[in-house]
Structures are given as structure tokens and as C-alpha cells.
Amino acid sequence: MGEFNDGLARNLFDTKYGFIDQSGKQAIPPKFDLTHGFSEGLAAVRIGKEWGYIDTTGKLVIQLRDISQAHPFHNGLAEVVTRDGRWGYIDKTGKQVWKPTLQRLQ
């Protein structure tokens, strides 16, 4: 089980991840292969090889993309990594605000 953020914590149910609320009740059904916890109202989720972001109701708000990594949001941006190892950033609408490059912001 993960830490609670935005009132929810990720939880492994058998072989899939979902989210529970603070009472321990399942809030978002387990249908994800991997997840990060919520940050700024969104959580990165992976289905197969694709990553996207859901809101606290479980709705997919940033469509799944074929990338190797998707990180939590901080200050309105999330770091994403392409399959060839380039780093970039997206905003909460999924728009690229820094196109993938081999250099990573520190």
C-alpha cells in the first residue's frame, strides 16, 4: 500500500493496482499494471506499456502514451521519459511544455 495523497492511496489487489480511501474502502478499481500516488489531484497509471494520468474519481484525464516513465506532478508539471531515454515535461492537460531531450532539468 502506498501513502495517502489527495485522500487516496495506491494498493495492489492481486496483480493489479487500484486506490483505496482512508477508511480502507476501494475507491478506484484495480485495473492498472503500475501506478504512482496522487500529486496535485492526478496519478500516473500504466496499462501495458502506456502511461497516462487519472483524477481522484478514476477518470483518465491525460490519455495513455507509449512512454517508458511518467512521474508525479510538481508545480503543475510532470516529468516523462521516452522509450529512447529522452526527458521532457507535460502540463496538467497533457501538453508538452518541454520537448524530450537527453538532458534532464536538475
Side-chain angles (χ1 to χ4, degrees):
M1 186 166 67
E3 294 181 16
F4 282 94
N5 292 305
D6 296 332
L8 300 172
R10 72 185 194 134
N11 197 47
L12 183 62
F13 298 89
D14 206 12
T15 61
K16 297 287 184 178
Y17 285 92
F19 290 85
I20 59 171
D21 64 19
Q22 292 180 335
S23 71
K25 180 182 171 191
Q26 181 180 302
I28 299 173
K31 56 184 173 183
F32 308 108
D33 295 314
L34 189 58
T35 67
H36 289 293
F38 278 90
S39 176
E40 298 184 13
L42 299 175
V45 297
R46 189 183 84 199
I47 298 174
K49 292 184 178 184
E50 297 182 317
W51 284 91
Y53 289 83
I54 60 170
D55 65 15
T56 56
T57 68
K59 178 182 175 189
L60 189 65
V61 294
I62 297 178
Q63 295 302 310
L64 297 171
R65 298 177 181 179
D66 184 22
I67 55 177
S68 67
Q69 295 178 42
H71 295 271
F73 276 89
H74 296 286
N75 299 316
L77 298 177
E79 192 174 55
V80 294
V81 183
T82 62
R83 295 247 170 249
D84 61 359
R86 294 177 297 136
W87 295 83
Y89 290 85
I90 61 171
D91 65 16
K92 288 187 174 184
T93 68
K95 179 183 174 188
Q96 280 186 337
V97 295
W98 188 39
K99 294 190 187 265
T101 179
L102 290 176
Q103 287 187 310
R104 180 180 181 194
L105 289 180
Q106 299 299 324

